[in-house]
Amino acid sequence: MTKKNEKPFDVKLFKRLFQYMKPYRHVFIGLTVLVIFLAILGASTPYITKDAIDNSVAVKNPRHFLTYVVLLLVVLALQTASQLTFIYYAAWLGQNMVMDIRVKLFKHILRFKMKYYDTSSVGVLITRSVTDMERIADIFSQGLFMIIRDLLTMLVVFGIMVYINFKLTLIVFIMLPVLMYATRLFQKYMKRAFEDVRNEVSNLNSFVQERITGMKILQLFTREDKEYAKFKAINERHKKAWLKTVWYNSIFFPIADLASSITIGLVAWYGGLNVVLDGTVTQGTLVSFIMFVPMLFNPLRQIADKFNTLQMGMVAANRVFKILDTDSQIDDSGTYITKSFKGNIKFKDVYFNYVENEDVLKGVSFEVKAGETVAIVGATGAGKSTIINLLNRFYEIKSGVISVDDIDIKEVTLNSLRTQIAVVLQDVFLFADTILNNITLGNPHITEDEVREAAKAIGVNDFIETLPNGYHYNVKERGVMLSSGQRQLISFLRAYVTNPSILVLDEATSSVDTYSEQLIQNATDKITKGRTSIVIAHRLATIKKADKIIVMDAGEIVEQGTHEELLKNKNGFYKNLYEVQFLKEEVA
């Protein structure tokens, strides 16, 4: 059953979609003219056939018959040329509009807060950016203009039928209200069915994308059978959603064909009697009406079919516009632009939460002076990584102030701020591209020679040169062709070549071999030298070298000081952490 206030067609949504047509309005106008021309050409064929039969065949006068044949061939040629032009430019218009929407959507997605990605499915976003876009293109290439063409064809056919014989036209229209009512019901039910289809497609994409990405975990924990069962259930729902559309089609189209056949039968019966008994209907009129009936009923049938395409496109457009309307962007109203910072960082009474009323940071205050290296230590969930996220403005703080060089980071443009802060994360992400492109990320101001010099400076050039094609070695998706230690080294080099004012390191050497660990430690020493650095420390060597250590627990700073100062506090958090986590490392 359809919902009470459900609309088979959303005019407001269509008007919004139509705004993207404005740059191509000349093509739209040309297509509209072609549609009118095609409707006239289509309806003219039965009319010419009628005259040919009445004026030549019925009276056995071959004098003008050849003229009618040539005229029909000309109409056919014009129809073919117009149809080819129409199909190409309708698709051209749809693809150009979709290209503009897709670019706008991706630009919008690029600026979303990290919080949006924390709660959104990657598979759904991929569906919106790719599959749904093709459905929107179909609105113009297979939906809208086809419907307009069919409606105009019906209008022209109706006018000619009334002009030729009003009584036969009335017989044709006996079945038309039935088909129109069936079409309207069909449209309503199909709209809901296609919404279900789009939901299940998104669910299917999300499931497959996540499982393929996490395939190693599935196999490690022998989850293949369980995930296979889940996939079968999701696929079954997807199949049922599609079968619902097939069911509605299987009901409607036979009804449409039956209505057309009955109408042709009635026309042949009534018109044939008139031809034989009193001659009020000519042979040409009867033949033309038999030709007109499909031209009147088939467009209505096709309109329902094309309306399916149109509604699928509208459902897809609605989903895409919901993302475009999502206001989940970090406020970038700051006006301060800088090419470099001195590097003085201050957190003053900062409160933050990922979930409302569940503070992750509780009044955090600390200062990092220019050129200092500060280590942050604490148990898992203490808030260490959150500090990194907030410094880069991936999330908005609840209250307090974060400043660099005594300038509130909200006053600095996002581009300027993030350009001056380089981050090396524990979970290194590499794109399916060359090592060089993964280091420069397409920055035209960083040359290959500069990358090589930087690599030599931090001691990673030798390892890169040993790879096939060196800096042009393709690391494949997520850098699977490299070890975790090698990926980490690439991330260090990526940070180093940008020459940032501030460096943030989520030091991660727990899962790498001894050789890679030594290279990473050397790289850390090199890139932090003389540069303001905040390090989430996992190794004692880094902590000892830090100018200051910040100890966190449950979202609060519980201690600050140097390694030696903090060890003097016998019952302190750091001393306890040192004895539990770091003492074995020092002894070893």
Side-chain angles (χ1 to χ4, degrees):
M1 291 180 65
T2 54
K3 296 176 183 176
K4 240 181 184 180
N5 298 321
E6 190 178 68
K7 298 177 182 177
F9 187 77
D10 192 332
V11 176
K12 187 176 179 181
L13 177 64
F14 187 76
K15 284 182 178 178
R16 181 174 180 183
L17 186 62
F18 220 67
Q19 296 300 311
Y20 292 90
M21 184 275 301
K22 285 184 177 179
Y24 313 103
R25 54 183 174 271
H26 58 287
V27 176
F28 178 80
I29 293 169
L31 286 169
T32 304
V33 172
L34 267 177
V35 163
I36 296 170
F37 189 53
L38 281 167
I40 295 170
L41 288 174
S44 65
T45 302
Y47 190 82
I48 296 170
T49 303
K50 168 194 167 297
D51 282 353
I53 293 172
D54 288 342
N55 298 332
S56 294
V57 178
V59 297
K60 297 180 180 180
N61 181 7
R63 188 173 58 177
H64 298 294
F65 186 72
L66 185 59
T67 304
Y68 287 117
V69 171
V70 171
L71 189 56
L72 284 171
L73 288 173
V74 170
V75 169
L76 179 62
L78 288 173
Q79 269 188 306
T80 303
S82 300
Q83 190 75 2
L84 286 171
T85 306
F86 169 75
I87 291 171
Y88 175 79
Y89 279 102
W92 183 93
L93 178 64
Q95 288 299 324
N96 275 275
M97 288 176 62
V98 159
M99 180 187 70
D100 294 343
I101 299 172
R102 186 184 281 122
V103 168
K104 184 176 180 180
L105 177 67
F106 190 69
K107 183 180 180 181
H108 192 64
I109 289 174
L110 282 173
R111 286 163 175 76
F112 277 157
K113 300 176 184 177
M114 287 299 110
K115 187 175 181 180
Y116 180 87
Y117 297 105
D118 293 341
T119 56
S120 298
S121 164
V122 174
V124 169
L125 290 175
I126 291 172
T127 301
R128 300 292 175 266
S129 302
V130 182
T131 310
D132 283 343
M133 287 297 176
E134 292 307 315
R135 300 291 78 78
I136 295 173
D138 289 343
I139 290 177
F140 295 90
S141 61
Q142 300 178 33
L144 176 66
F145 288 112
M146 299 294 186
I147 290 174
I148 294 173
R149 184 195 63 184
D150 290 341
L151 286 172
L152 285 173
T153 299
M154 289 175 65
L155 187 63
V156 174
V157 166
F158 173 69
I160 295 175
M161 288 170 69
V162 171
Y163 172 74
I164 294 173
N165 192 302
F166 183 71
K167 288 182 179 180
L168 280 179
T169 304
L170 286 178
I171 291 175
V172 171
F173 272 75
I174 290 174
M175 293 299 296
L176 201 58
V178 176
L179 188 56
M180 291 179 71
Y181 179 71
T183 301
R184 181 162 179 79
L185 282 179
F186 177 69
Q187 291 167 354
K188 287 183 178 180
Y189 280 100
M190 285 301 285
K191 183 174 188 291
R192 293 196 65 194
F194 280 130
E195 285 176 346
D196 291 341
V197 167
R198 297 313 309 151
N199 281 329
E200 295 307 329
V201 167
S202 294
N203 292 336
L204 196 62
N205 285 346
S206 297
F207 185 89
V208 172
Q209 189 271 333
E210 286 184 347
R211 270 59 186 182
I212 291 176
T213 302
M215 188 59 69
K216 183 181 289 186
I217 298 298
L218 297 186
Q219 294 183 358
L220 281 171
F221 289 89
T222 63
R223 294 285 300 174
E224 294 95 334
D225 292 341
K226 293 285 186 183
E227 296 303 322
Y228 173 68
K230 286 182 183 178
F231 178 78
K232 282 183 69 177
I234 293 173
N235 205 34
E236 179 68 20
R237 293 199 302 269
H238 178 259
K239 181 195 75 174
K240 286 180 178 178
W242 268 112
L243 285 179
K244 192 184 293 183
T245 68
V246 174
W247 171 245
Y248 294 148
N249 279 313
S250 67
I251 294 174
F252 173 74
F253 290 111
I255 290 174
D257 290 337
L258 181 63
S260 179
S261 298
I262 290 172
T263 305
I264 290 174
L266 289 172
V267 167
W269 168 73
Y270 180 79
L273 284 177
N274 279 269
V275 170
V276 174
L277 296 177
D278 56 18
T280 54
V281 175
T282 66
Q283 294 176 31
T285 299
L286 180 59
V287 171
S288 67
F289 264 74
I290 291 174
M291 294 175 69
F292 276 134
V293 169
M295 294 184 68
L296 192 65
F297 280 64
N298 285 348
L300 191 59
R301 179 181 182 274
Q302 289 169 8
I303 285 171
D305 191 23
K306 299 305 178 186
F307 203 86
N308 294 346
T309 302
L310 186 62
Q311 287 194 327
M312 283 188 73
M314 295 298 284
V315 169
N318 187 47
R319 295 177 185 278
V320 170
F321 286 142
K322 278 183 180 178
I323 296 179
L324 284 171
D325 292 338
T326 300
D327 185 15
S328 182
Q329 297 183 335
I330 295 290
D331 177 29
D332 193 16
S333 58
T335 56
Y336 185 82
I337 300 174
T338 181
K339 291 185 177 180
S340 65
F341 286 118
K342 292 178 182 177
N344 294 296
I345 302 170
K346 287 183 183 177
F347 274 60
K348 185 177 180 182
D349 202 26
V350 174
Y351 282 82
F352 171 78
N353 57 47
Y354 293 102
V355 180
E356 194 172 353
N357 299 322
E358 295 182 19
D359 287 340
V360 176
L361 296 187
K362 306 166 185 176
V364 169
S365 297
F366 67 87
E367 182 176 354
V368 182
K369 294 180 181 178
E372 279 189 339
T373 295
V374 172
I376 304 177
V377 299
T380 301
K384 306 185 296 295
S385 295
T386 299
I387 287 177
I388 291 176
N389 289 331
L390 296 182
L391 182 61
N392 281 277
R393 290 198 70 200
F394 287 142
Y395 300 87
E396 296 281 20
I397 61 175
K398 180 180 175 182
S399 62
V401 177
I402 302 173
S403 62
V404 179
D405 294 350
D406 295 322
I407 303 167
D408 190 329
I409 59 173
K410 291 182 179 179
E411 302 300 320
V412 184
T413 65
L414 279 177
N415 186 61
S416 183
L417 176 71
R418 291 174 180 170
T419 299
Q420 294 306 314
I421 302 176
V423 181
V424 178
L425 296 173
Q426 184 171 351
D427 183 19
V428 179
F429 187 93
L430 298 180
F431 295 95
D433 206 336
T434 64
I435 286 179
L436 180 64
N437 289 339
N438 268 290
I439 293 168
T440 65
L441 295 177
N443 187 338
H445 301 295
I446 303 175
T447 66
E448 183 173 344
D449 288 338
E450 288 173 335
V451 172
R452 288 178 183 274
E453 289 302 315
K456 289 175 183 177
I458 65 173
V460 300
N461 180 68
D462 290 344
F463 122 71
I464 296 175
E465 292 289 4
T466 61
L467 298 171
N469 298 321
Y471 286 84
H472 298 280
Y473 177 65
N474 193 310
V475 300
K476 305 301 180 184
E477 189 173 358
R478 299 183 67 87
V480 295
M481 302 304 291
L482 302 178
S483 69
S484 58
Q486 290 172 329
R487 290 196 295 270
Q488 194 69 275
L489 289 168
I490 295 300
S491 70
F492 271 85
L493 184 53
R494 181 160 62 191
Y496 186 62
V497 295
T498 62
N499 192 29
S501 302
I502 298 168
L503 186 67
V504 179
L505 303 177
D506 189 351
E507 189 186 36
T509 56
S510 57
S511 61
V512 301
D513 58 83
T514 305
Y515 176 71
S516 295
E517 182 181 345
Q518 186 58 50
L519 287 177
I520 290 171
Q521 190 59 57
N522 292 339
T524 302
D525 295 341
K526 180 68 179 180
I527 66 177
T528 57
K529 187 177 181 180
R531 182 181 283 116
T532 304
S533 304
I534 298 178
V535 183
I536 295 179
H538 300 279
R539 292 291 183 182
L540 182 62
T542 303
I543 295 171
K544 280 185 171 182
K545 292 176 183 177
D547 298 300
K548 181 165 60 177
I549 300 168
I550 295 173
V551 186
M552 297 193 68
D553 182 62
E556 298 179 288
I557 294 177
V558 291
E559 290 179 325
Q560 294 188 60
T562 65
H563 174 68
E564 290 76 14
E565 290 171 348
L566 293 174
L567 284 181
K568 292 176 183 178
N569 187 350
K570 294 183 179 180
N571 298 315
F573 277 82
Y574 180 76
K575 184 174 177 60
N576 179 60
L577 187 68
Y578 169 75
E579 290 174 349
V580 172
Q581 183 175 337
F582 300 124
L583 190 57
K584 290 180 181 179
E585 181 183 342
E586 187 172 38
V587 172

